[in-house]
């Protein structure tokens, strides 16, 4: 709706100002920003690490993360922010063992997470254990390559979700890691795993072409890169072998990227991949600037710090 | 393009015409285009004051857990550390975990199946922390075993026990072992294997307690796949250790050798 208002106003505005139809009068395109915030592999780390921790002293903590998220929401505006998690919410501290993930989901709901994907550890109390905690989550989980048809998650975990923020359509689809050999079959039951790259090719086309999304985000728990096994599907391989994906938010390998990674896709276009380690030590932030009326052929600028 | 469909007045028609003209002049059919992407990570430090509502929401959960985790269950007379091996083939913490798992799995299997456990095999990598000298709490059990592995018993033929012996000889790691004794020559070949003092018979069935992770082939323990029966005890290894800590006062420091190599 906003988009339509804007077009009508700007056209009327131009009509008043312009004597002749000069192109000059229509420069200085308007801008707007969509901010993507993300975590991965938080692994039930609700409290900050203690001050005497050997590796991460005084780092992390859900209540501090909430402050940072609130600050960004305040600065960017509620309607311009999406908050994502790339899986492995569960397992790693006694909070999970005692409460089965209830507190993790409740806190994520309080922080207004918009969407998450499932990591292998989210099956640790079985697919039924996961379902039992879902009422505590005010946000959905998406997974496009897990077929849950013959499980209790059928119709509950969908392949993707489309958000409309500031008149822009943002499609987010999920990808999970192969469960066989990693998770006990009695936990994941009849969940069927499909090749993430094939599924992503299909998903990105659907979201970009059929659903006309302005942004396509892949929320992945397949791992950033496997240096010892370069055939093994990873976010790097995913980026190289797909198109129409604007951003890959990764997880699983607990990779602390010094800064977001940029990879070329099938079309030779740049794709940003980000993963922020684990245990809620960091928050990832990706700002997409949109400009009104700019030529679509103009190459976009990717900046990382 | 969201051009208004109804043209009520000449003026609005003119505006619509302008809109179309401008968009064409611009050479773009899209209204909004992504031109810049900025990415970074932000460290969560104590620079960020906790949100009070979230902090107070967590508090009762934290207090309940801490009270439970820190209640003293037993006493450990000396630090049990998996990095201090006994002749390279066993550790005090590994011996404790294998002996305790053997004993408690045996009790559970007897109650359910009226069968005894003969051997227990765990993995060295599965011991995730030391047990420090001093008080032993539920937290200790969480530290040494953060994973949700559960206890299973696999019925294996004697020939698979020989495979276990060869696996251990090849691995050269102090994998926790109980109920079974493996003798190795100086050059590391298996010379004899016994279970509770008796030589292993190839066709006899032995019940081996282990974790579900290893039973499913973890750490390349492929011999478990050849099991003739599986008893899932539905008993987490950690809970088994917690039950044991509750049952005793002082942890034993057991140095008995289970894998013995000629010198």
């Amino acid at each position: 709706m906003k988009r339509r208002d804007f077009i009508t106003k700007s056209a009327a505005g131009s009509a008043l100002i312009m004597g002749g139809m000069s192109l000059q009068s229509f420069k200085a395109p308007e801008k707007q920003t969509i901010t993507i915030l993300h975590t991965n592999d938080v692994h039930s780390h609700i409290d900050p690490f203690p001050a005497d921790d050997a590796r991460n002293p005084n780092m992390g903590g859900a209540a501090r993360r909430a402050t940072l998220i609130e600050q960004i929401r305040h600065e960017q505006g509620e309607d311009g922010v999406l908050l994502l998690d790339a899986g492995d919410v569960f397992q790693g501290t006694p909070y999970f063992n005692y409460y089965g993930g209830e507190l993790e989901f409740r806190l994520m709901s309080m922080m207004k997470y918009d969407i998450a994907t499932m990591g292998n550890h989210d099956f640790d109390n079985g697919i039924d254990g996961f379902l039992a905690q879902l009422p505590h989550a005010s946000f959905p989980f998406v997974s496009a390559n897990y077929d849950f048809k013959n499980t209790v998650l059928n119709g509950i975990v969908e392949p993707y979700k489309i958000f409309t923020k500031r008149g822009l359509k943002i499609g987010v689809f999920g990808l999970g890691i192969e469960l066989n050999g990693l998770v006990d079959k009695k936990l994941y039951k009849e969940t069927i795993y499909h090749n993430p790259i094939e599924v992503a090719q299909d998903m990105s086309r659907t979201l970009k072409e059929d659903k006309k999304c302005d942004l396509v985000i892949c929320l992945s728990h397949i791992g950033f890169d496997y240096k010892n096994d370069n055939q093994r599907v990873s976010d790097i391989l995913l980026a190289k072998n797909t198109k129409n994906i604007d951003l890959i938010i990764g997880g699983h390998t607990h990779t602390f990227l010094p800064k977001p990674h940029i990879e070329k896709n099938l079309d030779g276009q740049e794709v940003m991949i980000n993963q922020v380690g684990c245990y809620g030590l960091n928050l990832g932030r990706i700002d997409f600037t949109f400009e009104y009326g700019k030529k679509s052929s103009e190459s976009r600028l990717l900046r990382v710090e | 393009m969201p051009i208004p469909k109804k043209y009520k007045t000449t003026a609005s028609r003119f505006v619509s015409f302008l809109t179309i003209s401008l968009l064409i002049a611009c050479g773009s059919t899209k209204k909004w285009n992504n031109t810049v992407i900025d990415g970074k990570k932000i460290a969560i430090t104590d620079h960020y004051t906790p949100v009070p509502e979230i902090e107070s929401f967590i508090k009762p959960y934290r207090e309940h857990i801490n009270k439970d985790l820190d209640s003293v269950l037993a006493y450990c007379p000396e630090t049990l550390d998996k990095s201090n091996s006994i002749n390279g083939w066993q550790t005090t913490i590994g011996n404790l975990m294998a002996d305790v798992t053997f004993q408690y799995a045996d009790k559970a299997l007897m109650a359910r199946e009226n069968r005894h456990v003969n051997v227990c095999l765990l993995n060295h990598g599965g011991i995730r922390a030391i047990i420090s000298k001093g008080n032993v709490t539920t937290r200790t059990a969480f530290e040494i075993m953060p994973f949700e592995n559960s206890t299973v018993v696999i019925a294996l033929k004697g020939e698979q026990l020989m495979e276990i012996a060869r696996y251990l000889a090849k691995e050269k790691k102090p994998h926790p072992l109980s109920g079974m004794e493996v003798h190795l020559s100086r050059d590391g070949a298996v010379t004899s294997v016994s279970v509770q003092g008796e030589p292993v018979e190839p066709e006899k069935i032995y019940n081996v307690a282990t974790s579900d992770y290893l039973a499913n082939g973890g750490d390349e323990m492929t011999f478990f796949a050849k099991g003739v029966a599986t008893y899932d005890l539905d008993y987490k290894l950690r809970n088994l250790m917690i039950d044991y800590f509750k049952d005793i006062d002082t942890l034993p420091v057991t140095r008995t050798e289970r894998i013995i190599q000629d010198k």
Side-chain angles (χ1 to χ4, degrees), chain A residues 25-206:
Chain A
S25 57
F26 146 75
K27 62 173 186 149
E30 300 253 350
K31 280 187 187 183
Q32 63 179 1
T33 305
I34 299 293
T35 301
I36 308 296
L37 302 178
H38 62 95
T39 50
N40 59 277
D41 300 275
V42 178
H43 281 294
S44 306
H45 281 264
I46 286 163
D47 292 327
F49 280 87
D52 62 354
D53 186 81
R55 207 170 284 173
N56 309 300
N58 244 326
M59 293 282 290
R64 290 176 182 166
R65 186 182 352 140
T67 296
L68 173 59
I69 291 165
E70 269 185 19
Q71 278 177 9
I72 297 170
R73 284 190 198 279
H74 182 73
E75 151 206 323
Q76 295 299 103
E78 272 304 311
D79 63 332
V81 176
L82 265 183
L83 177 57
L84 283 54
D85 186 88
D88 278 4
V89 173
F90 288 176
Q91 190 71 267
T93 71
Y95 283 110
F96 176 67
N97 308 101
Y98 279 72
Y99 299 106
E102 174 192 324
L103 187 58
E104 289 84 333
F105 281 178
R106 282 177 171 240
L107 294 174
M108 287 171 79
S109 303
M110 289 171 86
M111 287 183 238
K112 291 181 269 176
Y113 269 78
D114 291 284
I115 195 162
T117 195
M118 286 179 79
N120 45 303
H121 281 289
D122 298 317
F123 291 89
D124 278 4
N125 277 351
I127 199 163
D128 301 287
F130 176 81
L131 178 69
Q133 298 304 334
L134 270 186
H136 300 300
S138 63
F139 53 93
F141 277 78
V142 281
S143 181
N145 70 323
Y146 290 154
D147 181 349
F148 289 119
K149 191 171 70 231
N150 296 318
T151 75
V152 291
L153 293 180
N154 184 33
I156 293 171
V157 174
E158 299 282 357
Y160 65 87
K161 185 174 160 72
I162 297 172
F163 297 89
T164 304
K165 294 267 173 189
R166 297 183 167 158
L168 297 166
K169 283 172 86 176
I170 302 152
V172 183
F173 70 97
L175 287 180
I177 193 161
E178 178 147 34
L179 297 169
N180 182 24
L182 190 63
V183 178
D184 201 315
K185 172 90 163 64
K186 74 177 181 218
L187 299 177
Y188 67 81
K189 294 191 169 166
E190 299 306 314
T191 306
I192 300 163
Y193 164 86
H194 292 296
N195 183 308
I197 291 181
E198 286 165 26
V199 170
Q201 286 167 338
D202 203 41
M203 266 295 112
S204 51
R205 187 181 53 239
T206 303

Side-chain angles (χ1 to χ4, degrees), chain A residues 3-4 7 11-12 14-15 21 23 26 30-32 46-47 58-60 63-68 70-72 91 94-95 97-99 102-103 106-107 110-111 168 184 186 257-258 260 272 274 276 280-296 300-305, chain B residues 1-4 14-19 21-23 25-55 57-66 68-69 138-139 142 146-148 150 152 212-213 216 232 234 236 238:
Chain A
R3 189 147 74 164
R4 182 164 300 191
I7 288 168
S14 315
M21 255 191 37
L23 281 176
F26 146 75
E30 300 253 350
K31 280 187 187 183
Q32 63 179 1
I46 286 163
D47 292 327
N58 244 326
M59 293 282 290
R64 290 176 182 166
R65 186 182 352 140
T67 296
L68 173 59
E70 269 185 19
Q71 278 177 9
I72 297 170
Q91 190 71 267
Y95 283 110
N97 308 101
Y98 279 72
Y99 299 106
E102 174 192 324
L103 187 58
R106 282 177 171 240
L107 294 174
M110 289 171 86
M111 287 183 238
L168 297 166
D184 201 315
K186 74 177 181 218
L257 291 174
M272 196 177 281
N274 202 21
V276 290
L281 298 169
N282 297 293
L283 180 75
R285 173 175 177 170
I286 315 289
D287 292 298
F288 287 88
T289 304
F290 283 82
E291 292 184 60
Y292 181 75
K294 274 253 177 165
K295 281 184 190 173
S296 55
R300 64 180 169 187
L301 181 64
L302 278 72
R303 299 186 293 211
V304 293
E305 60 174 272
Chain B
M1 272 192 293
I3 306 300
F14 178 64
V15 168
S16 301
F17 164 74
L18 276 182
T19 311
S21 313
L22 284 168
L23 285 173
C26 215
S28 168
T29 49
K30 277 204 166 179
K31 280 72 60 185
W32 285 103
N33 283 300
N34 174 213
T35 50
V36 183
I37 311 176
D38 288 291
K40 63 175 170 183
K41 75 172 176 209
I42 307 164
I44 317 269
T45 63
D46 54 5
H47 167 77
Y48 301 102
T49 321
V51 172
E53 298 81 51
I54 297 217
E55 189 54 32
F57 188 81
I58 300 168
K59 204 170 167 237
Y61 290 87
R62 182 190 296 131
E63 284 172 353
H64 171 79
I65 290 176
N66 284 344
D68 196 60
L69 284 177
T138 306
R139 194 184 293 280
F142 273 92
F147 307 124
E148 298 303 292
S150 70
V152 294
D212 53 352
Y213 169 74
N216 291 329
D232 191 343
D234 198 21
K236 280 184 187 169
R238 187 196 308 118

Side-chain angles (χ1 to χ4, degrees), chain A residues 190-302:
Chain A
E190 299 306 314
T191 306
I192 300 163
Y193 164 86
H194 292 296
N195 183 308
I197 291 181
E198 286 165 26
V199 170
Q201 286 167 338
D202 203 41
M203 266 295 112
S204 51
R205 187 181 53 239
T206 303
L207 292 173
K208 202 75 154 198
E209 291 171 13
D210 302 344
K211 305 286 178 189
K212 308 272 182 242
C213 287
D214 298 284
L215 274 185
V216 174
I217 299 173
C218 173
L219 203 47
S220 149
H221 195 80
I222 63 175
F224 178 69
D225 192 16
Y226 298 96
K227 294 223 157 55
N228 306 328
D229 183 359
N230 55 15
Q231 298 300 302
R232 189 166 166 198
V233 62
S234 63
D235 291 335
I236 296 279
L237 287 187
L238 178 76
K240 284 180 177 169
N241 292 292
T242 53
K243 48 189 178 181
N244 292 328
I245 297 176
D246 297 287
L247 173 67
I248 299 171
I249 297 296
H252 187 65
T253 42
H254 296 197
T255 308
F256 288 88
L257 291 174
K259 46 184 156 180
H261 182 87
I262 296 170
E263 196 60 57
K264 286 236 164 77
N265 73 6
L266 267 186
D267 285 343
Q269 285 167 339
E270 290 181 324
V271 185
M272 196 177 281
I273 308 173
N274 202 21
Q275 188 181 147
V276 290
C278 53
Y279 308 151
L281 298 169
N282 297 293
L283 180 75
R285 173 175 177 170
I286 315 289
D287 292 298
F288 287 88
T289 304
F290 283 82
E291 292 184 60
Y292 181 75
K294 274 253 177 165
K295 281 184 190 173
S296 55
S297 59
E298 267 177 66
S299 62
R300 64 180 169 187
L301 181 64
L302 278 72

